Amino acid sequence: MAAPHRELKRAAVPNAMGHVVLAFAERTLRPGELGGLREQLWRTQTYLYVTPGPLLIDRALEGFPAEVRALGARCPFFRYDARGGGGYWPDRNEIWLAAGVETYEGLRQVRLSACHELFHFICWNHPRYRADEDRGFARLRKVVAESAPVVKNYPRYRGWVTASFLRQGDHANVVEFFADIPTNFRDTSELPPLIAAHFAPLIDGSPFPDDFDGALAAGEYELARFQRSLSPV
């Protein structure tokens, strides 16, 4: 299969200079001014700074356990000529992320976008999480459903689920949920205990739960049922 995009490569010196300009603009301009600058730049499809793939992986996974960082470092990670977008291609086992994320969305956002895509890669390439994905994320769906009665006790998670995740329509599915949790929650104490334990090996290096490889959800995966199970009781 052909590559999904054409890779964009940048010379090191002008790229570094662009980083200085972009960081200064983000620090000093008001939101409206920064938005106006971005629109002016897009008229010529200018990218001030494009983080190289290996460096972006390192920055996106900073603070995660060594095993996670080592696995993520294996990911082929490419930047391509576009303002936004991108994704993980499991058939090629690689990530393509738009070159415009830094310039048009922000230096912080590019790390979050990269982190999200990297956790798709990590799930696909980690034997134990991949086994759960191969059975429709049966265990993850089970811990989500069983956590519904206590979601109200975890205000940041509850707010993220109701105000952000579930508002994405069909995109609010179990595959995206998997990548979103470690991207958005670096402290497992903010998560309901069963969900925290499921993701803790990725987030803080805690051991896997004893029943990790055996606990299954009832029934086949259905998007509507999964979304209902996320809602606080």
Side-chain angles (χ1 to χ4, degrees):
M1 179 179 175
H5 305 287
R6 178 176 297 178
E7 184 179 7
L8 178 72
K9 297 183 179 181
R10 294 287 300 272
V13 172
N15 202 40
M17 293 173 63
H19 184 274
V20 173
V21 173
L22 181 57
F24 180 78
E26 288 191 356
R27 287 197 310 270
T28 61
L29 297 181
R30 298 186 181 94
E33 295 172 334
L34 186 57
L37 173 63
R38 285 171 169 157
E39 291 308 313
Q40 292 177 20
L41 291 169
W42 185 240
R43 294 190 185 104
T44 56
Q45 297 187 13
T46 298
Y47 307 122
L48 290 177
Y49 177 64
V50 182
T51 316
L55 179 58
L56 185 50
I57 291 173
D58 188 58
R59 290 176 175 175
L61 296 180
E62 183 178 1
F64 283 101
E67 179 185 6
V68 172
R69 292 172 61 84
L71 182 55
R74 291 167 36 192
C75 179
F77 198 119
F78 305 99
R79 309 303 302 276
Y80 70 98
D81 187 2
R83 179 167 180 165
Y88 168 64
W89 272 258
D91 56 333
R92 298 177 58 87
N93 205 28
E94 61 192 25
I95 292 171
W96 290 77
L97 188 65
V101 178
E102 291 92 331
T103 301
Y104 301 104
E105 298 179 41
L107 291 170
R108 179 177 181 272
Q109 181 57 47
V110 76
R111 297 189 187 192
L112 293 174
S113 297
C115 188
H116 175 91
E117 301 303 339
L118 282 162
F119 275 101
H120 285 309
F121 173 88
I122 288 166
C123 184
W124 192 258
N125 290 275
H126 189 294
R128 299 181 82 175
Y129 287 106
R130 173 63 184 275
D132 195 42
E133 179 167 9
D134 285 346
R135 59 192 183 187
F137 288 99
R139 185 179 196 280
L140 178 54
R141 289 187 287 119
K142 181 176 186 291
V143 301
V144 165
E146 292 180 353
S147 296
V150 301
V151 166
K152 61 182 180 295
N153 300 325
Y154 296 85
R156 183 167 177 267
Y157 173 78
R158 182 188 66 234
W160 172 80
V161 165
T162 57
S164 178
F165 186 74
L166 286 174
R167 294 190 177 187
Q168 299 179 68
D170 289 351
H171 200 68
N173 57 59
V174 70
V175 176
E176 299 303 324
F177 181 85
F178 180 94
D180 274 348
I181 290 296
T183 300
N184 291 284
F185 295 91
R186 303 294 292 268
D187 181 353
T188 57
S189 69
E190 296 179 323
L191 297 167
L194 292 176
I195 296 174
H198 186 88
F199 285 98
L202 298 178
I203 295 173
D204 60 23
S206 296
F208 281 88
D210 292 339
D211 66 348
F212 186 89
D213 302 303
L216 301 177
E220 297 295 322
Y221 171 69
E222 294 178 3
L223 177 61
R225 180 185 298 172
F226 173 70
Q227 291 180 344
R228 288 194 300 271
S229 74
L230 284 166
S231 300
V233 173

